[in-house]
Amino acid sequence: MRLGLKDAAATEAAGAALGKVLPAGDLVIYLHGDLGAGKTTLVRGMIRSLGHPGRVPSPTYTLVEPYELGRLSLKHLDLYRIADPEELAFLGVREMQGTVLIEWPERGAHFLPNPDLECRLTVAAPGRVLEAEGRSEAGRALLAAWDATNREAGL
Ligand SMILES: Nc1ncnc2c1ncn2[C@@H]1O[C@H](COP(=O)(O)OP(=O)(O)OP(=O)(O)O)[C@@H](O)[C@H]1O
Ligand SMILES: [Mg+2]
């Protein structure tokens, strides 16, 4: 899937479209892209569409932000500031259940679970380009459903 996102609202809308079709159960999503590419904005759209009324802060300093969203349990990670990937073993990232969203997965080396879905955001003035690929059966099914909800949202 490849999608142009003209502004931050479009990135949030794409995240909301993904939130709509997110299945309960274990699923790992990697979010690639440079600093400021829009990864947290996409996650914010997802988490808000799942009914979270409060803030969705960047986990840059906390490393992980957990959410309980009705039938879904979700963890949002940002590994940008991780000093040593071994910290991830200590955090038990591989054992995390539910939806696991990981910004800067390349910093986690081999301490991360394999992704079901990989997303990449790229700055493309004006706006951003979002690319996504399924890496498992569950990830490919999710991607097909997401493609449909993006269309419904006019993206
Ligand atoms: N499609 C878009 N067009 C223009 N600006 C956007 C778009 N999507 C997001 N932004 C803006 O880009 C900025 C950075 O977004 P965000 O914090 O989500 O990036 P990030 O990839 O999570 O960065 P970091 O690696 O620092 O965590 C924000 O000001 C956001 O509003
Ligand atoms: Mg971020």
Side-chain angles (χ1 to χ4, degrees):
M1 186 180 85
R2 193 170 195 281
L3 201 62
L5 301 167
K6 66 174 171 31
D7 54 21
T11 307
E12 277 212 36
L18 177 56
K20 262 192 182 174
V21 289
L22 201 62
D26 298 344
L27 197 96
V28 177
I29 303 179
Y30 285 5
L31 298 154
H32 298 281
D34 287 342
L35 279 174
K39 303 177 293 295
T40 299
T41 307
L42 189 79
V43 169
R44 191 167 288 136
M46 272 175 89
I47 289 174
R48 292 229 173 105
S49 82
L50 291 164
H52 179 70
R55 290 179 63 235
V56 179
S58 172
T60 312
Y61 295 97
T62 53
L63 214 60
V64 51
E65 293 283 344
Y67 297 87
E68 291 300 329
L69 305 159
R71 68 198 168 90
L72 285 171
S73 156
L74 188 149
K75 296 196 172 52
H76 178 199
L77 284 80
D78 181 339
L79 309 185
Y80 185 69
R81 288 185 180 271
I82 204 160
D84 182 345
E86 281 198 43
E87 282 178 50
L88 298 171
F90 185 73
L91 262 180
V93 175
R94 279 200 140 136
E95 289 75 42
M96 283 180 179
Q97 292 182 324
T99 311
V100 182
L101 308 170
I102 309 175
E103 296 187 37
W104 292 101
E106 40 288 286
R107 310 230 162 173
H110 50 276
F111 290 93
L112 294 181
N114 291 326
D116 294 287
L117 187 67
E118 283 197 271
C119 300
R120 178 174 299 279
L121 282 145
T122 316
V123 176
R128 306 286 189 266
V129 170
L130 167 67
E131 291 165 295
E133 273 193 64
R135 300 289 185 209
S136 70
E137 277 309 312
R140 283 185 281 274
L142 176 59
L143 186 55
W146 185 16
D147 197 35
T149 49
N150 276 331
R151 281 164 211 267
E152 278 167 30
L155 291 165

